[in-house]
Amino acid sequence: MLTQIPLEHILLLSAALFTIGVLAVITKRHAVVVLMGIELIFNAANLNLVAFSRHDPQLMQGQLFSLFVILVAAAEAAVALAIVLRVYQHFKTANLNQIVSREG
């Protein structure tokens, strides 16, 4: 018989992922690292959705919503990386502090 991981442990892991993601978004200045932080935040939210949906095994709402979040995150990552590539081509840097507008 499989042992179940307590909900508190899963929530602690999710909180740790969320905290690391927020710290990466706030403190880092490289565009790709900021995108990785956003993905960590999405993964923390997905972990919470799946953990809480385990309490009602009859309904698959948490897993379905988690799948939707994963699809949105994949689309967001593709569009964001395309934007980062265009910004790099234009400004020759991916450092968010060094990107300045030529107008103004």
Side-chain angles (χ1 to χ4, degrees):
M1 183 172 163
L2 294 174
T3 60
Q4 287 191 356
I5 300 171
L7 182 62
E8 294 82 17
H9 294 186
I10 297 172
L11 294 179
L12 283 173
L13 176 63
S14 177
L17 283 175
F18 186 82
T19 303
I20 293 169
V22 168
L23 287 174
V25 169
I26 291 173
T27 61
K28 300 300 179 184
R29 294 296 162 229
H30 196 277
V32 175
V33 177
V34 171
L35 292 175
M36 288 171 49
I38 293 170
E39 292 297 324
L40 281 174
I41 293 170
F42 280 146
N43 287 333
N46 282 338
L47 191 57
N48 276 338
L49 288 169
V50 172
F52 283 120
S53 72
R54 191 176 69 176
H55 288 288
D56 193 3
Q58 303 280 322
L59 299 174
M60 299 290 287
Q61 293 170 345
Q63 284 92 345
L64 291 175
F65 194 66
S66 180
L67 181 63
F68 177 72
V69 171
I70 290 170
L71 292 173
V72 169
E76 172 264 335
V79 170
L81 285 175
I83 291 171
V84 168
L85 286 174
R86 291 295 295 166
V87 166
Y88 183 80
Q89 286 177 350
H90 185 70
F91 293 105
K92 303 297 184 224
T93 185
N95 190 338
L96 298 176
N97 286 337
Q98 296 175 352
I99 297 173
V100 294
S101 175
R102 292 185 182 180
E103 301 171 18

